[in-house]
Amino acid sequence: MGIIKLNNIRVYAHHGCLTEEGKIGSDYRIDLQIEANLAASAKSDELSDTVDYVHLNKIVKEEMAVRSKLLEHVAQRILDRSLQEIQQIEKATVEVSKLNPPLGGDVENVTIVLSKQQ
């Protein structure tokens, strides 16, 4: 078993329950960790034997571009697509952070963490 991590993927998106959040948008940070059997790729040195992190990054960016009211919703979509499209993944964990959320105080970020297994 091995782990691949994509850390600090930064996107600008329009998630949130407030109408203003949908119009103005804000900055987000996404961390994605997947667990998969990496033994074949460690031996073969072939991209086809591993989880392509370019594909993972594409999934994250595409799902972040689809507006959701809740971070939980977009995080679940990222997990569902990752596990559906990349068969080698046995488990995935995603962290979606809204940077400088509009909470009426000095808060660096709000983060939701979800995991899913095959």
Side-chain angles (χ1 to χ4, degrees), residues 2-9 30-35 38 53 56 93:
I3 294 173
I4 295 175
K5 296 180 181 181
L6 278 75
N7 295 317
N8 204 20
I9 302 168
I30 301 91
D31 297 309
L32 180 61
Q33 176 176 303
I34 64 97
E35 296 180 30
L38 302 178
Y53 46 81
L56 291 171
T93 301

Side-chain angles (χ1 to χ4, degrees), residues 4 8 34-36 42 58-59 63 69 71 77-78 85 93 96 106 111 114:
I4 295 175
N8 204 20
I34 64 97
E35 296 180 30
K58 180 181 177 218
I59 290 169
E63 291 304 324
K69 290 185 268 181
L71 297 182
R77 290 198 322 262
I78 291 168
E85 293 181 18
T93 301
V96 179
D106 186 14
T111 302
L114 292 179

Side-chain angles (χ1 to χ4, degrees), residues 38-52 88:
L38 302 178
S41 59
K43 186 175 181 180
S44 73
D45 196 29
E46 294 295 331
L47 180 60
S48 60
D49 289 334
T50 194
V51 176
D52 185 352
Q88 297 103 315

Side-chain angles (χ1 to χ4, degrees), residues 67-80:
R67 179 164 161 66
S68 290
K69 290 185 268 181
L70 301 177
L71 297 182
E72 293 91 325
H73 190 254
V74 70
Q76 188 65 54
R77 290 198 322 262
I78 291 168
L79 290 175
D80 290 344

Side-chain angles (χ1 to χ4, degrees), residues 8-117:
N8 204 20
I9 302 168
R10 293 191 171 257
V11 298
Y12 191 83
H14 297 84
H15 305 297
C17 293
L18 303 175
T19 303
E20 296 80 22
E21 293 174 299
K23 292 178 183 176
I24 298 169
S26 58
D27 291 309
Y28 292 83
R29 183 185 124 185
I30 301 91
D31 297 309
L32 180 61
Q33 176 176 303
I34 64 97
E35 296 180 30
N37 185 340
L38 302 178
S41 59
K43 186 175 181 180
S44 73
D45 196 29
E46 294 295 331
L47 180 60
S48 60
D49 289 334
T50 194
V51 176
D52 185 352
Y53 46 81
V54 172
H55 189 170
L56 291 171
N57 189 54
K58 180 181 177 218
I59 290 169
V60 168
K61 288 186 173 184
E62 288 177 356
E63 291 304 324
M64 288 299 293
V66 177
R67 179 164 161 66
S68 290
K69 290 185 268 181
L70 301 177
L71 297 182
E72 293 91 325
H73 190 254
V74 70
Q76 188 65 54
R77 290 198 322 262
I78 291 168
L79 290 175
D80 290 344
R81 270 194 65 191
S82 297
L83 289 167
Q84 181 180 30
E85 293 181 18
I86 304 171
Q87 299 304 312
Q88 297 103 315
I89 298 175
E90 295 181 18
K91 181 180 179 184
T93 301
V94 64
E95 297 183 29
V96 179
S97 301
K98 181 178 238 178
L99 306 179
N100 301 310
L103 300 177
D106 186 14
V107 178
E108 183 177 327
N109 66 64
V110 173
T111 302
I112 183 73
V113 181
L114 292 179
S115 294
K116 187 173 181 181
Q117 288 185 245

